[in-house]
Amino acid sequence: MNQNQLRNFSIIAHIDHGKSTLADKLILATGALEKRQMKEQVLDSMDLERERGITIKAQTVNLLYKSPKGGEYGFNMIDTPGHVDFTYEVSRSLAACEGVLLVVDATQGIQAQTIANLNLAMKHNLSIIPVINKVDLPSANPEAVKEQLEDVLQIEAHDAVLASAKEGIGIAELMEAIVERIPPPVGDADKPLKCLLFDAWYDSYRGVIVLIKVVEGSLAVGDSILLMATGRKFIIEELGVLTPLPKQVDSFKAGEVGYMIANIKELDQTKIGDTVTHVARPTDAPLPGYKEVKPMVFSGLYPISGDQYELLRDALKKLTLNDASVTYEAETSTALGFGFRCGFLGLLHMEIVRERLEREYNVELLTTAPTVVYKVITTSDEVILIDNPSKLKGIKNVDRMEEPYVRGTIIMPEEYIGTIMALTRDRRGIQTKMEYLAPGTVLFEYHLPFNEIVLDFYDRLKSSTKGYASFDYEFLDFRASNLVKLDVLLNGELVDALSLICHKDKVQYLGRDLAKKLKEQIPRQMYEVIIQAAVGTKVLARETIKALRKNVLAKCYGGDITRKRKLLEKQKAGKKKMKQVGKVEIPQEAFLAVLRTDGK
């Protein structure tokens, strides 16, 4: 297809504003799938996505649009996630586009993630088409949303497309707007080949399948290619586009997007953001690629059965190919054995990755309490980054500790101002901005310690505002804080997997809550189990799980008291011996109890 007839665009929005439904309607309107083949959220192929009703992975689809004004156009559309934890998926998708459809719910207006995604699109200098969705609902107020677009986002709203993806309203106008307002890709097909590798996944039969956008030059089946970051050479076996079903093609030219299979068997032979070029006629300089993503939340993943360690390692390799924002390194724990320390972008991201590992690769996992990265500065001004509280034990001469702060944006109805102020004050937040976006809608900006929001802040925010508040954050800097390490001991033995770092003002309450929760979750043993929460040698809280006891006096129907006492002493000695050799099994629920220390 002629380059002037190509349109590459992404759909971006806050979570649940109708991106996936809009993508369904565009697929149906262009005839890519017949009505009998359609299902809701057709691009959300994972069971997890369908169960939770959210998009986790950005999905690409090629559509052929025949304009009523004449001419055929090739649309390459990418449906992106809306949750803050999957922002990296959005940024990767935008690098393969020339424009975006910014979808805003006509009933809710602009939300926190709308602003964050728009900022990403503007950094890439993309054309923006505002789409006001759900205009068919009785509570829809498109005129108020237009005002917000102009006042808050500073984008022209007079030509915003009014649509209802569910009812199919405005779809024809939207497709014409894509043709007229999103520019075709630029790139010379005669120059040396330069392709952006922006996504990949592993197929057990075909090896690694990669998604590419041809920036310059052309590519054909049988060509010898070079992956510039890894220096590996391959011969292309198959090229194709996703419509959304795979459809083979013979070649790609500048501006086109599709998948490539080149007998890439090893997972570490590809790198997301790499540049693909020809072996015979390579390009002078690679594309800038992607900024290395920095994980915000760290947690240990351990196989419940030790013989699944190798399986977990292979599963993590395959998953990181598909989701480059996950990092991992091997670690060992005295309580849990061999496992991996993994980095995630947020708590939902961690939860999704864990579920994907268990479902897609059949690995039973035990997850430790999530933590963030802290900076430890020694008296000799050495800076040490720690992502695991147990690493703090080996560091000497600590001068101070610093914790990460984020800039949080909260948008909500004004009736919840008091509730949100109380919640953020409890989490040591510093208010930096308060602004009315529209009558009845308020924007707050806070500087918050990341450790305070990573566990249950989002849940508390949603429940205290009946689901109306939206939240987005970005990393700010590290700041000195009065931090201590809280340890958990079971029968005097340190359980390193349950250690956590917290602020000194909260450690007393946190220790008590944690000990109580563990008492509820750890099952009773044949011997007494003592749970202690301590900072260094100072015990802050103690709980005791009473031993299960057999009634050894049941067979005594009277007689001398010494006979009964002898049986009880014998039982007591047995319990003592058990306690010395026994090992307390800690269930997964006990580790999850560390997440919730708010008494709920």
Side-chain angles (χ1 to χ4, degrees):
M1 185 173 281
N2 191 323
Q3 193 172 324
N4 290 328
Q5 293 169 291
L6 295 175
R7 300 291 184 272
N8 300 321
F9 62 93
S10 285
I11 307 177
I12 59 173
H14 184 78
I15 193 167
D16 205 28
H17 277 205
K19 295 180 301 298
S20 297
T21 313
L22 184 65
D24 288 353
K25 279 294 184 288
L26 289 171
I27 289 168
L28 196 59
T30 53
L33 289 177
E34 294 177 28
K35 199 159 188 175
R36 61 185 175 80
Q37 296 173 294
M38 286 297 293
K39 58 184 176 182
E40 281 189 22
Q41 298 173 339
V42 71
L43 293 180
D44 291 346
S45 53
M46 267 188 253
D47 290 341
L48 265 175
E49 291 179 312
R50 308 195 73 76
E51 282 170 22
R52 290 172 176 256
I54 59 172
T55 302
I56 294 166
K57 274 293 297 173
Q59 298 289 345
T60 306
V61 61
N62 286 73
L63 308 172
L64 189 65
Y65 171 58
K66 294 179 182 177
S67 173
K69 297 178 182 178
E72 277 190 348
Y73 295 89
F75 288 174
N76 178 63
M77 176 179 73
I78 305 176
D79 179 24
T80 64
H83 195 280
V84 60
D85 282 11
F86 304 105
T87 306
Y88 185 62
E89 286 286 321
V90 181
S91 65
R92 273 175 30 194
S93 305
L94 297 181
C97 298
E98 281 76 44
V100 294
L101 306 183
L102 179 69
V103 181
V104 183
D105 190 324
T107 62
Q108 295 182 31
I110 288 166
Q111 300 292 301
Q113 199 62 24
T114 316
I115 300 170
N117 284 338
L118 177 70
N119 290 338
L120 278 175
M122 291 176 119
K123 280 179 188 172
H124 286 80
N125 295 320
L126 303 180
S127 299
I128 295 155
I129 301 176
V131 181
I132 300 173
N133 194 23
K134 305 187 185 181
V135 293
D136 60 310
L137 296 179
S139 56
N141 191 349
E143 292 308 313
V145 175
K146 281 185 179 182
E147 280 181 33
Q148 284 188 354
L149 286 169
E150 293 190 343
D151 296 344
V152 181
L153 304 182
Q154 275 86 47
I155 57 174
E156 293 289 330
H158 65 274
D159 53 358
V161 179
L162 301 181
S164 168
K166 197 170 185 181
E167 299 298 324
I169 299 166
I171 301 300
E173 292 87 340
L174 179 58
M175 290 194 288
E176 279 302 309
I178 291 166
V179 169
E180 291 166 13
R181 291 156 60 185
I182 293 178
V186 292
D188 192 343
D190 298 323
K191 283 189 175 181
L193 177 68
K194 193 183 279 189
C195 301
L196 174 68
L197 193 161
F198 69 93
D199 204 355
W201 62 91
Y202 187 79
D203 184 281
S204 48
Y205 299 104
R206 310 298 303 272
V208 179
I209 301 172
V210 298
L211 277 179
I212 55 169
K213 180 192 177 183
V214 184
V215 179
E216 286 178 347
S218 59
L219 190 65
V221 175
D223 285 359
S224 293
I225 55 160
L226 169 72
L227 302 183
M228 297 184 81
T230 57
R232 299 295 185 119
K233 297 173 184 177
F234 300 98
I235 294 172
I236 296 173
E237 293 180 350
E238 185 181 315
L239 294 173
V241 292
L242 300 167
T243 65
L245 303 170
K247 179 185 171 186
Q248 291 189 34
V249 297
D250 296 325
S251 63
F252 285 141
K253 288 185 291 188
E256 294 187 323
V257 174
Y259 70 86
M260 175 181 82
I261 300 172
N263 198 26
I264 305 169
K265 295 296 183 190
E266 295 297 321
L267 297 163
D268 53 6
Q269 291 175 339
T270 57
K271 189 172 185 291
I272 301 296
D274 197 356
T275 302
V276 181
T277 189
H278 279 135
V279 173
R281 191 186 170 208
T283 184
D284 297 332
L287 293 161
Y290 296 118
K291 194 170 87 174
E292 283 291 324
V293 65
K294 289 182 180 174
M296 301 289 280
V297 179
F298 289 84
S299 176
L301 295 183
Y302 293 84
I304 287 174
S305 172
D307 56 6
Q308 286 196 319
Y309 177 78
E310 298 291 332
L311 185 63
L312 175 59
R313 187 177 63 187
D314 292 342
L316 279 167
K317 263 190 177 182
K318 290 173 184 174
L319 191 86
T320 48
L321 175 74
N322 189 242
D323 184 353
S325 57
V326 180
T327 62
Y328 68 95
E329 60 178 27
E331 75 166 6
T332 55
S333 160
T334 50
L336 304 172
F338 292 98
F340 293 92
R341 192 78 186 164
C342 300
F344 310 95
L345 298 183
L347 205 63
L348 177 66
H349 188 215
M350 174 185 131
E351 205 179 312
I352 293 294
V353 167
R354 184 176 151 247
E355 281 199 45
R356 284 186 68 187
L357 286 168
E358 289 188 332
R359 289 188 187 201
E360 295 173 25
Y361 304 102
N362 298 316
V363 187
E364 283 189 85
L365 291 174
L366 202 147
T367 317
T368 65
T371 182
V372 299
V373 179
Y374 295 94
K375 266 186 186 177
V376 178
I377 292 94
T378 63
T379 48
S380 57
D381 285 339
E382 184 188 357
V383 177
I384 304 165
L385 293 173
I386 59 163
D387 56 25
N388 189 342
S390 61
K391 290 180 181 176
L392 197 59
K393 188 169 61 177
I395 302 171
K396 306 292 182 189
N397 305 321
V398 176
D399 179 46
R400 66 184 187 278
M401 285 179 69
E402 295 182 354
E403 62 180 331
Y405 267 69
V406 295
R407 181 190 289 112
T409 306
I410 303 170
I411 297 176
M412 64 192 173
E414 64 179 345
E415 65 203 79
Y416 300 111
I417 287 176
T419 311
I420 296 302
M421 282 183 161
L423 176 62
T424 48
R425 187 172 59 249
D426 183 49
R427 301 305 171 101
R428 300 188 284 129
I430 303 160
Q431 187 183 321
T432 57
K433 185 179 178 183
M434 177 181 172
E435 184 184 323
Y436 276 82
L437 301 182
T441 306
V442 188
L443 179 145
F444 274 114
E445 204 173 85
Y446 277 92
H447 291 181
L448 291 152
F450 192 49
N451 186 36
E452 295 282 352
I453 67 164
V454 75
L455 299 181
D456 60 346
F457 180 79
Y458 191 72
D459 293 346
R460 293 282 299 276
L461 180 81
K462 283 289 184 185
S463 59
S464 59
T465 60
K466 297 179 182 173
Y468 284 112
S470 64
F471 179 62
D472 180 69
Y473 62 83
E474 60 178 337
F475 174 73
L476 207 56
D477 53 20
F478 281 88
R479 298 181 188 178
S481 291
N482 194 357
L483 301 169
V484 291
K485 178 174 170 245
L486 178 67
D487 290 321
V488 173
L489 296 94
L490 294 182
N491 285 345
E493 281 192 34
L494 176 69
V495 184
D496 55 355
L498 287 175
S499 297
L500 46 96
I501 293 170
C502 58
H503 198 268
K504 196 173 182 179
D505 293 348
K506 293 190 170 187
V507 71
Q508 189 88 36
Y509 310 105
L510 202 60
R512 283 182 200 157
D513 285 343
L514 186 50
K516 281 179 188 171
K517 287 281 173 70
L518 289 173
K519 184 182 178 181
E520 291 168 14
Q521 298 296 341
I522 294 174
R524 288 176 74 185
Q525 312 288 323
M526 293 300 290
Y527 48 90
E528 187 179 70
V529 178
I530 296 165
I531 302 163
Q532 292 172 310
V535 173
T537 55
K538 184 182 178 183
V539 176
L540 303 178
R542 171 187 163 132
E543 294 287 342
T544 305
I545 301 173
K546 295 292 182 188
L548 289 167
R549 292 182 63 179
K550 181 182 175 183
N551 186 2
V552 290
L553 305 181
K555 60 188 175 184
C556 298
Y557 298 102
D560 191 5
I561 187 67
T562 55
R563 186 172 170 225
K564 294 181 182 179
R565 194 170 288 149
K566 185 180 174 184
L567 287 168
L568 288 169
E569 288 296 327
K570 190 178 177 183
Q571 184 187 44
K572 190 178 176 183
K575 298 282 181 196
K576 190 176 178 182
K577 189 177 178 183
M578 272 187 199
K579 192 173 179 179
Q580 288 171 348
V581 298
K583 187 181 177 185
V584 182
E585 289 292 329
I586 307 170
Q588 173 72 20
E589 290 74 26
F591 288 99
L592 294 177
V594 182
L595 303 183
R596 303 215 171 270
T597 50
D598 54 2
K600 292 191 176 180

